[in-house]
Amino acid sequence: MEFIIMCLCMALLQQGGETMGKRPYELDWAGRYQDDHPPLVDFENLEGWHVKVKDAVAEFERSDEQQIWDSFVGKLTYRAVGADPEVIILPPHPIEIHRPFDAVTVWIYGNNWAWAPDPTTPQVNVIALFEDAEGEPFEVYMTRVRWKEWFLVHRRLTPELIERVREGGRFLGFRITNGHNKEDRSLYFDNLAVFVERFPPLKFKPRPKRGIDMFPGQTVGTN
């Protein structure tokens, strides 16, 4: 089945009947109101975003049903109408990345629990789509969704991909597979980020002295 382009008009106002969600209380308790890394995509304005589908029906819109960073997130609603469903979420145009990166993160609010399988809500795969500075596409497999809360999905690029994006690249969108559900299901996205990971040396305070003598050459251990 050929891909069918379904262009969706993104309303600037929220649709009627939608209930505003609340941020995870842990973030409020910790005073965390900004993400660890500046987002490449913050999903606050989805004007011009659209989906391509195969054996599926889907829409992608701005929503405040779930909350985590700022005011809005991206809501994907999807269902299967064929044997091999696939949804591709696309921005209005490829998003330029003017720096090297070796890691990708995105916050996703899921729709099922791994420990309580629901046959009506299959666990979908989320793949991030990029191209390097030479215009050659590549994919980064992000995750299989298996939770019903906000979760920070983190992937480090392979050495080969790190080399390919040494001069930057472009973000093309997301591909969602395995959505065989026959009724509408939703996922929520916020703060896609790309960055170079830093690994400073770990430092620990010395452990308190033990109450017994250690064998020769043995330390008291790491705290």
Side-chain angles (χ1 to χ4, degrees):
M1 178 178 178
E2 295 293 328
F3 276 107
I4 303 171
I5 300 179
M6 301 178 62
C7 296
L8 304 171
C9 296
M10 298 296 107
L12 296 179
L13 299 177
Q14 290 305 98
Q15 298 180 1
E18 188 172 280
T19 301
M20 181 180 293
K22 294 183 178 180
R23 300 178 77 234
Y25 66 85
E26 299 94 334
L27 295 178
D28 289 337
W29 288 3
R32 288 189 59 195
Y33 298 101
Q34 289 188 340
D35 209 348
D36 288 340
H37 300 281
L40 179 69
V41 182
D42 62 12
F43 300 96
E44 292 294 305
N45 180 1
L46 296 183
E47 185 175 358
W49 284 68
H50 55 283
V51 297
K52 292 173 64 176
V53 298
K54 182 180 75 172
D55 289 354
V57 174
E59 62 179 353
F60 190 61
E61 59 188 337
R62 191 177 73 163
S63 172
D64 63 3
E65 286 180 351
Q66 300 295 342
Q67 295 273 294
I68 185 163
W69 307 111
D70 299 319
S71 299
F72 297 99
V73 301
K75 177 183 178 181
L76 174 68
T77 304
Y78 63 95
R79 70 178 185 273
V81 294
D84 187 23
E86 181 175 277
V87 177
I88 298 179
I89 305 171
L90 297 166
H93 48 75
I95 297 174
E96 297 287 340
I97 304 170
H98 298 289
R99 59 187 184 278
F101 61 98
D102 58 21
V104 182
T105 60
V106 62
W107 289 88
I108 299 177
Y109 195 103
N111 54 23
N112 67 86
W113 289 114
W115 48 265
D118 177 2
T120 70
T121 310
Q123 297 176 358
V124 300
N125 301 302
V126 179
I127 301 101
L129 309 176
F130 294 91
E131 62 182 23
D132 59 25
E134 302 299 321
E136 293 297 322
F138 65 91
E139 299 182 350
V140 177
Y141 179 82
M142 298 300 296
T143 192
R144 175 172 52 87
V145 176
R146 53 199 185 279
W147 57 85
K148 294 175 69 173
E149 58 189 355
W150 283 111
F151 184 82
L152 179 61
V153 181
H154 178 286
R155 281 287 179 254
R156 183 167 176 82
L157 303 187
T158 64
E160 184 265 336
L161 289 180
I162 293 173
E163 185 63 30
R164 284 178 59 182
V165 296
R166 197 170 289 277
E167 302 298 324
R170 299 170 191 85
F171 171 67
L172 305 181
F174 292 106
R175 183 158 61 90
I176 315 297
T177 64
N178 200 47
H180 290 279
N181 45 285
K182 301 303 182 183
E183 299 177 343
D184 283 351
R185 294 292 182 266
S186 296
L187 298 173
Y188 300 85
F189 296 79
D190 206 6
N191 278 22
L192 169 75
V194 298
F195 52 92
V196 174
E197 289 190 289
R198 306 296 182 189
F199 300 103
L202 298 177
K203 296 181 180 180
F204 300 95
K205 293 181 179 179
R207 287 181 64 98
K209 185 177 180 180
R210 295 180 181 270
I212 59 175
D213 293 333
M214 307 302 294
F215 288 111
Q218 188 175 14
T219 69
V220 295
T222 302
N223 189 6

